[in-house]
Each structure stands twice: as structure tokens, then as C-alpha cells.
């Protein structure tokens, strides 16, 4: 994993990349490496009091080391990631943490009461934010490296 030097004075922000065996441009939950780098860079610029840590779902260090994964989440204040199972690792985060779930297609799985992410956040004492972008009408926004996909400025002011 990308393991920056541990600065106990800084908060930690994890950015989760859901990665399949073959990048599928038609899947809004797969963040291509180029856009993932842009997202991480933008968050690092805005969240200057945080150490931004990129976590890729296909990273063998995390696949083979549950302790490493738990350690990362238990020391994180904020996680940002696409809707999916990777966000369930929030159960290891301290209460009061922030979970930002990006959603490109809206359906019942994302609703605060019906979807599991909001319920898990509530049960664990986390703040849950959903960032919705219209995948179909925004011209496949996550494959375009020059668009501000997360608009993190507002969230940075709140943390």
C-alpha cells in the first residue's frame, strides 16, 4: 500500500478505489487509475490537515493482510469511495468519522434509510454523505481527468 510516514498530528483520509480485473468504462463504480489519481490529488490539496491514503481493492497487501486493512480504517477520520462493499470497512473507524459515498446511478440501495451504508454509519456513529452525479448525462464523468468529480471544498470546511 501507499504508506506515508505516520504523522500522529494529522488526520487521515482514505480514498477507496474499486478495481475489477478489467476496467469497465460502463461501470460507474470502477474508478480508472487516471481519475483515481486526480481524486486523490484534489483531496490532498483541499484537506491540507489530512494525510491522504489511496487504497486500491486489488492491492495484494490488503487482500493478504486483514490487520493492515483494519489498521488503516481504524486510524482514518474520513473515507471517500464509490457505493459498494468496500465502504463496509467503516465499522473499524472511530465514532464521529465521515463516510462519503459516491453514487453515479440512483436507486433504493443508496437511500439513507433503505441502503446499508447509511444504516451502518448510523449504527457506528459516523456522518454519512452521499455525493450523487448523474453518470448517464455527465458523459461518463469518472473517465474524464479534468472534471472536479467530488467538489471537496465544502466538506473540507466542515471537517
Amino acid at each position: 500500500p501507499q504508506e506515508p510516514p505516520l504523522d500522529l498530528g494529522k488526520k487521515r483520509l482514505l480514498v477507496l478505489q474499486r478495481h475489477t480485473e478489467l476496467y469497465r468504462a460502463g461501470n460507474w463504480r470502477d474508478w480508472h487509475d487516471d481519475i483515481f489519481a486526480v481524486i486523490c490529488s484534489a483531496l490532498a490539496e483541499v484537506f491540507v490537515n489530512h494525510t491522504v491514503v489511496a487504497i486500491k481493492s486489488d492491492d495484494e497487501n490488503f487482500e493478504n493482510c486483514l490487520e493492515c486493512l483494519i489498521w488503516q480504517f481504524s486510524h482514518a477520520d474520513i473515507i471517500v469511495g464509490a457505493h459498494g462493499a468496500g465502504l463496509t470497512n467503516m465499522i473499524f473507524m472511530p465514532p464521529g468519522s465521515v463516510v462519503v459515498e459516491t453514487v453515479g446511478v440512483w436507486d433504493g440501495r443508496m437511500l439513507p434509510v433503505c441502503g446499508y451504508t447509511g444504516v451502518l454509519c448510523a449504527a457506528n456513529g459516523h456522518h454519512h454523505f452521499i455525493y450523487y452525479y448523474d453518470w448517464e448525462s455527465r458523459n461518463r464523468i469518472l473517465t474524464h481527468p479534468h472534471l472536479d468529480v467530488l467538489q471537496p471544498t465544502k466538506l473540507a470546511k466542515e471537517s
Side-chain angles (χ1 to χ4, degrees):
Q2 293 178 343
E3 187 59 44
L6 183 59
D7 181 351
L8 296 177
K10 285 185 102 173
K11 298 178 179 183
R12 295 173 66 82
L13 186 155
L14 304 184
V15 187
L16 312 179
Q17 180 185 29
R18 176 189 168 118
H19 207 291
T20 58
E21 291 178 15
L22 194 59
Y23 172 69
R24 297 173 292 173
N27 186 342
W28 58 268
R29 295 194 292 178
D30 287 348
W31 290 357
H32 190 271
D33 288 342
D34 292 342
I35 194 63
F36 185 64
V38 170
I39 291 169
C40 291
S41 177
L43 290 170
E45 286 180 29
V46 174
F47 289 91
V48 294
N49 294 325
H50 287 73
T51 299
V52 175
V53 180
I55 296 183
K56 297 181 176 194
S57 64
D58 64 346
D59 186 330
E60 290 183 14
N61 292 316
F62 290 122
E63 287 181 4
N64 299 323
C65 181
L66 181 60
E67 181 182 359
C68 301
L69 188 65
I70 291 172
W71 188 92
Q72 288 290 349
F73 280 88
S74 67
H75 288 83
D77 300 286
I78 301 173
I79 60 171
V80 176
H83 170 83
L87 292 176
T88 61
N89 290 303
M90 75 175 84
I91 64 172
F92 303 114
M93 295 173 67
S97 298
V98 174
V99 176
V100 179
E101 175 183 17
T102 64
V103 176
V105 176
W106 192 259
D107 63 30
R109 297 173 296 168
M110 291 75 168
L111 295 173
V113 176
C114 302
Y116 66 84
T117 306
V119 174
L120 274 176
C121 283
N124 287 283
H126 303 319
H127 304 281
H128 179 224
F129 295 89
I130 297 175
Y131 177 80
Y132 173 73
Y133 57 92
D134 188 344
W135 174 253
E136 295 300 324
S137 69
R138 296 285 307 268
N139 213 9
R140 305 276 192 260
I141 189 170
L142 290 181
T143 62
H144 195 290
H146 302 296
L147 296 176
D148 181 13
V149 294
L150 292 179
Q151 300 172 358
T153 306
K154 182 180 177 201
L155 183 61
K157 291 177 184 174
E158 296 175 7
S159 65

